[in-house]
Amino acid sequence: MDKTNPNIRLQPQNYFSNPYSTTHRQYEALRAFFHEGVSAECVAKSFGYTLSAFYSLTRDFKNKLQDKISEEPFFRINKQGRKFKDVTGEIRNLIIALRKQHLSVPDIKALLDTQKYKISERYVFSVIKKEGFSRLPRRDNKDREDTRVNIKEKLSAAKSEELQLDPEQFSTENSIGILCLLPYIKEYGLDVIIQKSLYPETKTINKISSILSFLALKLSNIRRYNADDLWCMDRALGLFAKLNVLPKTGWFSSYSHRITRRMNIDFLKNLHEVWRQKGLLSDTMNLDFTSIPYWGDDSHLENNWSGKRHKALASMLAVLAQDPDSGIIDYGDVNIRHNNQSKVILEFLDFYRGNNENDQTLKYLVFDSKFTTYQNLRKLEDRNIKFITIRRRDATIVDELEKLPPSQWRKIHVMNANGKGRTLKIFEKKVAIKDYGKFIRQVAITGHGKIKPALIITNDFDIKLESLLRKYSRRWIVEKEISEQIEFFHFNRVSSSMVIKVDFDFTMTILAHNLYRLFTLNLTGYSHQTDASIFRKFLYNSGNVVITSKNIEVNLKKKRNLPALLEELERFQGQRIPWLDNRRLFFHGATTS
């Protein structure tokens, strides 16, 4: 039949058997298949589909009927009653007030989604346009974040409670990216570890939602719990923990009052077992101290040296143990005092080996000169651990090295991680050290940019010099991680002088950091970048979430690194998330930027 002839469509006998529009053709094809019982092959041939395309059409039709949030697939249904109208002007006044504080249309929509108002961005835009507001100037992410934090309009967030996951959709600004980390929590069984942990729960918020609430704030670069509670206005953060919205400030403070060190160490041990089983721990651990300053007036805290401030401050002393290959932080402790500082290395070894003293998976411990005593170095030797550290040099040792003839020094070329190399001068010998009781290998190094020679000491006499120097140089990675904890995770802004509360916060920081490392394992070219860079490039994004009876669809707005992100998440498409009622999780690129 000639479908270009408009007169044919006007004939009633031809209207139903020869549909013109795509929607009409789909309706007639599906009706023939489901209602009249015509075979798929005949329907596909009659209506011009390939067989596979028709099967896809039937599948999509079934899904639309099952998803309560989907509209009627073919016919427009007129809703009874009057159309929505802001009779009181409450919504209009709120939109105007928020716009006066320089919030964008998506920002306003995301805030209104946390309230009782369910309106579209188009309605927000129409109100703004009608009131004569001009376009906002181009702003960077920091300016936009400061605008949202400093809004004066008082918006009351809903009481935090378990999310029922009824079919709905909502918008969110700049935190939707952390939903991309949900598959990694499932993939590595971190949800199971949280469920089995000793951490408490409340009457209204269960254990996994409680811990994921803390984790959500850590992952999304929230400054500290008592700075503001704007996170209560973000539905994506709530969904991350299966809550309507995250709890308010008071809940976070009161929850950590019930935490003990035993709970934290048990949690870290279970995480350690996961990292070990997944092959994320090599034979080497880098260890270092960091001071966590407290700006209150509590006198029970000791003074510790702060490398960032270049002076001693009233602070808590913390230790980190990090794998140099994967970047995973395996251990952390804030309960360190001056009188037990030198014993921390032995405590970590007990943590690592547990009840298996014959465990030989950990071979090397790398740390700086002030980390422990020479007596404890001998204890490491007796427990079959190789150590690499720096010897404290006095004037006598330096004077002896300076008197050595040039022929005693030999040159060695060491390659750096960036492919470039450096030529160093090396003098090696065995030395006896007080309180160690045995000869030890000492390597003096010059040409490394320092005025005085560096003295590396180790009990490994078999390792090649190049490998020895490379292992110690990689210890600086843990110093980089410590700097990162202070900057991105805001660890220099602790709001409590209670060491155990800070220890719990530190444990959550370690978990958040490790999630970022897991995320970058397969991101070629990004594994060396900091958590702050990864957050900014991949996860700091806006979008909308559609919850259906079976699925959760996350639509991320267009961004420079979005293709790489979607490619990484492709292997997780359709993964079921147990604590989200086993819904299947999908990630898509939105059509807007």
Side-chain angles (χ1 to χ4, degrees), residues 3-47:
K3 294 186 178 182
T4 61
N5 186 352
N7 294 324
I8 296 177
R9 185 176 65 85
L10 298 178
Q11 300 174 11
Q13 62 271 28
N14 295 325
Y15 182 85
F16 295 99
S17 58
N18 296 281
Y20 281 81
S21 70
T22 301
T23 304
H24 189 188
R25 184 162 65 113
Q26 290 175 352
Y27 170 79
E28 295 294 347
L30 292 170
R31 186 180 188 279
F33 178 71
F34 287 107
H35 183 66
E36 299 175 3
V38 182
S39 67
E41 291 81 359
C42 292
V43 173
K45 184 177 180 180
S46 300
F47 290 90

Side-chain angles (χ1 to χ4, degrees), residues 286-299:
N286 295 333
L287 296 100
D288 207 350
F289 288 119
T290 184
S291 58
I292 303 172
Y294 177 69
W295 308 108
D297 55 359
D298 283 76
S299 59

Side-chain angles (χ1 to χ4, degrees), residues 76 98 116 139 141 208 259 270 307 398 401 473 492 497 554:
R76 177 181 176 183
L98 293 173
K116 58 185 178 181
R139 300 168 295 171
N141 291 335
I208 190 166
I259 304 298
N270 291 330
V398 174
L401 292 173
S473 66
N492 60 344
S497 65
V554 180

